[in-house]
Amino acid sequence: MRPRKGKLYSCLLGSLLVLSTVSAPAVAGFSFGKTVTLMQFQDMHGHLAPHAEIFPDERKDPNSGGIAKVATLIRQVRASNPNSLLLAVGDTTHGSAETTFSLGDAIMPALNALAIDAFLPGNWDFGYGPRVYRQRFVAGDYSTVLAPNNRTTVAWMDDRPGHVGQQCNTPGGLNATTYATCHVTKANFPTVAINLYNYNEVARAITGQTHPGYLVKDVGGVRVGIIGITSDVVPQQAQAFNTGFRFTMGYKELPVNIAAARAEGAELIVVLSELGLAKNIQLVKEFSDINIMFSGHTHERTPEPIIVKRGLFGSNIGIVTEAGEDSFLGRLDVTVYRGRITGYHWQLLEADSSVPEDPAIKALIDQERKTFVAGPDLICHTFGPNGFPFGKGHVLCDPLETVVGHTNPTIERFNVLEEVANNVMVDAFMDLALSLGETNSRGNLLTTDNTLSQTNGFRFDVVVLGSDDGFSGDITLGDLYDYYPIGATGALAEFTGGRLMDHWEGVLNNVFDPNPYRQRGGWFLGFTHNMHFDVELNDDFPRTITQGRIDRVTINGKNLDESTTYTLASCYPHGNPIDEVCRTTGATNVRYVVGTPLGSGPTDLFGNRPLAINGPWYTQPPVNSANIFDPVRFANGGPLFLQVAPFNSSHPVDALRRYLAAHIVDASTHGLGRVNAVTGIPASEYGGPGIVQPTQGAGPAWLKREFVLFEKN
């Protein structure tokens, strides 16, 4: 059938919308109504201190970001307009060494000092497990007690201001008196989320909503309704993150919460959403009562706002913005009249080297960081992985400013398919695996013909400025934890080529699905130097039911054999089923990379020392391999999770330190070219050329959630 020009016969959206974008900084013409200022404080990822950054104009700045600089921008905005709200959008308490080794507590004094008006949790705010999350963010929840591994992590804080007497480091296991007093810092700001529910794992039943879905604030004579939609990807992460929770996408909950906020007099509806830019734009298209969407999760930067025009002649506009990460603060001045926006001005404020750190916030940060940097207060810290007993875990003793490697090119993660940072990571994991002298299940020595690695391509990170651009090129220990701030352990596992191909196709489709509600993440995976991909990202997909986006994969120049078994050097999230390594299921012959503690030097509170970077390294099988997660056992007084990886198992940072001690990061070795987009990467439909993940994906129009024109027979 041929589309009939000018005739609209079927529409997937169900209502007539006029959709477009404009790049002008303000609505043209006369604006009338009341004006308020909204600040978008987004995706901090635990970055306490300033770091390097690349700004949208390609300027490389070695002293940007960090919460104290952002606090200065917040103070300046409030001074210019007291009628303002500070709205925090997700992924705030997780992402650095300081937050990892304090369960997020290192950033909490600063956050609590900012006077945040509303907070939306992101997927990584669940990264320390549900007990920590509930203690910190659920209002009135003071009964949840920390697990033994949580207590290991925060034991060092007992003698710090505000923590005296919490007794997390009391030996003897689960002593009832001291166990209940061990806690993390409570947030003093309200949390909103319409799509997060409490779940009884034994009864397998939802027992209620975890947070209020919205709140209404009066500012400058305008009642502002603030609705939260947390990330819907938490269940694909470590199982321990979402135990006792259930997540939806928030689509069904939105109308009810919008109506409730309107019933309380809200003239302006602001949605804070960690669903990612593509989904959030689509929500604004479909829900005409959303005035403003503060989008998070995908770390995109919108120097100009994305404007969605709806209704007759596009008179009802919706504004979508995304403010990158901690090197930025979004400022939206908006004029509203009778529930409609009549004027706006958006600024993506930069926390660059010209912005001083707020003295009061800097003092709080210095207090929290002093045990992590060189000086008299430096101590060893231990992260207790899920399932580990009290007093055991990954140990950090070196100061975070320790130089552990060198890079010639600048390292960053802004590309959707491939980045130098990911290439370095996977090469380090495979290099460690090949050094072990191991054989696979068929008795063949591990080589570059049968061994590979992949990384999930995490995008929360800082920039490391390279010597090729006139900077030192130093890679610090803190940089490595910024790139890998999770408690996973190194693992080897075997997969058929066919299973790996299915997984890669799935990930690639998640990134470029033309239906925005099916998009997840904003990046493909990283792959080792012995691998090469040719992929198709065009509107012809799907070409057939069975043929996907990947044209060809080679290992050492030979085509991937889908019947052959390959060894994958990867990571294992503690508490997951043992047939899974870092989001890839179907593994066999799983074993964990184990190191040898240093024989001398400083120790943590429990007498543990870090692993020797030069080894020796070897592998061990799982400590437990069945009933890893058992809520019934937990209800009867037993552990919720069993330990899987052995004591002294490696952390990804260990593998990176070992590799960087012998390898300089160089474009000829670690540069782009391992993943080739045969037909190129499509430009984003919304947001301009700086958008990393195309909001429209890649695929035919009939797969998108848009208007479809049909001609009657």
Side-chain angles (χ1 to χ4, degrees):
M1 296 183 294
R2 293 179 292 105
R4 180 180 297 171
K5 294 183 180 179
K7 297 291 185 178
L8 179 65
Y9 288 98
S10 177
C11 174
L12 295 180
L13 299 183
S15 63
L16 180 62
L17 305 177
V18 181
L19 307 175
S20 66
T21 61
V22 299
S23 59
V27 172
F30 176 71
S31 298
F32 52 92
K34 298 176 180 177
T35 301
V36 297
T37 298
L38 306 175
M39 288 177 278
Q40 185 173 1
F41 173 72
Q42 178 194 323
D43 285 308
M44 283 294 297
H45 278 292
H47 292 156
L48 277 68
H51 51 77
E53 185 59 87
I54 302 176
F55 288 98
D57 61 0
E58 300 300 322
R59 174 170 34 97
K60 297 178 175 65
D61 191 323
N63 182 27
S64 301
I67 193 168
K69 282 178 175 282
V70 178
T72 296
L73 296 178
I74 293 169
R75 177 165 43 82
Q76 291 172 350
V77 171
R78 284 174 170 156
S80 70
N81 185 8
N83 297 323
S84 60
L85 294 175
L86 178 60
L87 307 177
V89 185
D91 285 353
T92 305
T93 60
H94 186 284
S96 63
E98 300 97 321
T99 52
T100 296
F101 288 94
S102 67
L103 300 181
D105 249 31
I107 201 171
M108 289 307 299
L111 288 179
N112 281 341
L114 293 180
I116 295 171
D117 291 289
F119 172 79
L120 170 74
N123 56 305
W124 285 107
D125 291 309
F126 297 88
Y128 308 114
R131 304 191 197 199
V132 173
Y133 181 89
R134 291 184 185 279
Q135 276 198 359
R136 176 167 291 138
F137 294 119
V138 177
D141 189 344
Y142 296 95
S143 61
T144 299
V145 294
L146 296 183
N149 63 299
N150 295 150
R151 293 170 60 237
T152 298
T153 306
V154 295
W156 66 276
M157 296 193 295
D158 270 13
D159 296 329
R160 295 170 62 75
H163 293 269
V164 176
Q166 83 176 53
Q167 299 176 314
C168 292
N169 64 356
T170 301
L174 308 182
N175 180 278
T177 302
T178 60
Y179 187 52
T181 61
C182 180
H183 61 276
V184 296
T185 301
K186 198 80 169 175
N188 67 0
F189 41 83
T191 299
V192 289
I194 64 176
N195 60 327
L196 177 62
Y197 297 90
N198 300 321
Y199 185 77
N200 186 313
E201 298 282 356
V202 176
R204 298 178 180 269
I206 291 175
T207 58
Q209 198 166 326
T210 308
H211 299 291
Y214 71 95
L215 56 84
V216 177
K217 303 279 287 190
D218 287 289
V219 56
V222 178
R223 286 182 64 76
V224 181
I226 305 163
I227 298 172
I229 309 176
T230 190
S231 175
D232 60 344
V233 303
V234 179
Q236 81 177 25
Q237 299 177 270
Q239 185 168 2
F241 291 6
N242 63 90
T243 300
F245 292 124
R246 285 297 180 268
F247 299 79
T248 70
M249 203 183 71
Y251 193 92
K252 290 184 177 180
E253 295 90 340
L254 256 178
V256 175
N257 283 271
I258 290 174
R262 291 287 193 197
E264 292 186 29
E267 302 169 67
L268 189 69
I269 297 296
V270 181
V271 176
L272 317 179
S273 174
E274 272 278 307
L275 296 177
L277 187 59
K279 291 179 182 177
N280 290 332
I281 291 173
Q282 190 65 31
L283 287 176
V284 174
K285 290 179 180 181
E286 298 189 27
F287 292 89
S288 60
D289 274 330
I290 297 175
N291 301 117
I292 296 165
M293 172 68 75
F294 276 179
S295 175
H297 179 63
T298 34
H299 292 215
E300 302 286 9
R301 304 165 178 184
T302 56
E304 302 293 343
I306 296 169
I307 305 302
V308 178
K309 293 186 175 182
R310 306 163 299 193
L312 189 62
F313 306 117
S315 60
N316 177 20
I317 68 167
I319 301 175
V320 185
T321 61
E322 197 153 317
E325 49 285 311
D326 67 296
S327 294
F328 303 89
L329 178 73
R331 173 177 179 163
L332 180 63
D333 297 285
V334 60
T335 303
V336 60
Y337 179 75
R338 292 186 176 179
R340 297 291 177 90
I341 294 174
T342 61
Y344 63 87
H345 182 73
W346 164 256
Q347 293 175 280
L348 189 60
L349 304 174
E350 298 176 348
D352 61 14
S353 56
S354 68
V355 176
E357 295 182 88
D358 181 274
I361 299 299
K362 185 179 186 303
L364 294 174
I365 294 303
D366 290 346
Q367 172 67 22
E368 296 301 318
R369 295 191 75 236
K370 67 181 184 180
T371 63
F372 291 93
V373 297
D377 296 305
L378 177 68
I379 63 172
C380 296
H381 300 83
T382 302
F383 180 84
N386 184 39
F388 270 44
F390 181 67
K392 295 291 186 180
H394 170 63
V395 182
L396 165 68
C397 288
D398 291 331
L400 295 181
E401 68 269 26
T402 301
V403 176
V404 296
H406 179 86
T407 181
N408 292 331
T410 290
I411 297 175
E412 41 85 8
R413 290 193 198 166
F414 297 144
N415 289 328
V416 68
L417 281 184
E418 182 185 9
E419 272 298 357
V420 171
N422 288 342
N423 291 349
V424 172
M425 286 184 192
V426 291
D427 285 356
F429 300 158
M430 187 173 74
D431 189 77
L432 176 56
L434 296 180
S435 75
L436 301 174
E438 292 258 335
T439 59
N440 59 24
S441 58
R442 298 184 179 183
N444 299 319
L445 185 68
L446 298 187
T447 68
T448 53
D449 287 327
N450 58 25
T451 307
L452 50 95
S453 184
Q454 65 182 34
T455 183
N456 289 325
F458 304 112
R459 286 176 63 201
F460 49 87
D461 60 86
V462 296
V463 171
V464 181
L465 298 174
S467 56
D468 288 348
D469 292 312
F471 298 92
S472 71
D474 289 343
I475 303 173
T476 68
L477 183 57
D479 293 332
L480 300 188
Y481 280 107
D482 284 334
Y483 278 94
Y484 238 106
I486 60 175
T489 189
L492 303 183
E494 294 181 7
F495 295 87
T496 64
R499 176 66 194 96
L500 290 173
M501 182 69 85
D502 287 345
H503 176 65
W504 299 330
E505 284 280 11
V507 173
L508 197 58
N509 198 49
N510 287 342
V511 177
F512 292 99
D513 198 304
N515 183 335
Y517 291 142
R518 291 171 56 89
Q519 284 191 23
R520 290 190 301 182
W523 53 90
F524 193 33
L525 303 172
F527 298 98
T528 40
H529 62 80
N530 59 334
M531 305 179 70
H532 181 82
F533 283 72
D534 287 325
V535 301
E536 296 276 358
L537 304 173
N538 56 53
D539 288 344
D540 291 335
F541 173 84
R543 288 163 283 172
T544 69
I545 293 176
T546 57
Q547 187 177 12
R549 300 180 187 269
I550 299 176
D551 282 341
R552 186 185 185 207
V553 181
T554 60
I555 309 290
N556 259 3
K558 301 175 183 177
N559 287 337
L560 179 85
D561 186 343
E562 296 196 10
S563 299
T564 292
T565 298
Y566 296 89
T567 296
L568 181 69
S570 187
C571 61
Y572 169 74
H574 299 272
N576 277 22
I578 64 166
D579 71 336
E580 178 182 342
V581 290
C582 278
R583 304 184 191 176
T584 310
T585 59
T588 60
N589 192 25
V590 180
R591 58 265 196 218
Y592 305 100
V593 180
V594 177
T596 305
L598 292 168
S600 60
T603 68
D604 66 5
L605 285 171
F606 314 102
N608 304 310
R609 292 191 175 94
L611 300 181
I613 299 304
N614 294 323
W617 301 93
Y618 53 98
T619 62
Q620 285 187 355
V623 174
N624 291 286
S625 57
N627 296 322
I628 306 303
F629 169 67
D630 190 340
V632 175
R633 178 179 60 216
F634 180 66
N636 292 324
L640 183 60
F641 290 92
L642 297 181
Q643 179 183 348
V644 175
F647 295 140
N648 299 321
S649 54
S650 65
H651 185 275
V653 168
D654 295 324
L656 284 165
R657 289 192 71 174
R658 175 189 172 277
Y659 183 78
L660 291 171
H663 299 81
I664 291 176
V665 179
D666 188 78
S668 61
T669 304
H670 306 101
L672 307 185
R674 300 179 188 185
V675 181
N676 173 44
V678 176
T679 50
I681 301 172
S684 181
E685 179 181 3
Y686 294 97
I691 298 300
V692 174
Q693 181 183 11
T695 56
Q696 79 282 6
W702 54 266
L703 280 177
K704 301 179 182 181
R705 192 176 173 91
E706 287 287 1
F707 293 105
V708 180
L709 301 180
F710 294 103
E711 181 181 23
K712 291 183 178 179
N713 291 328

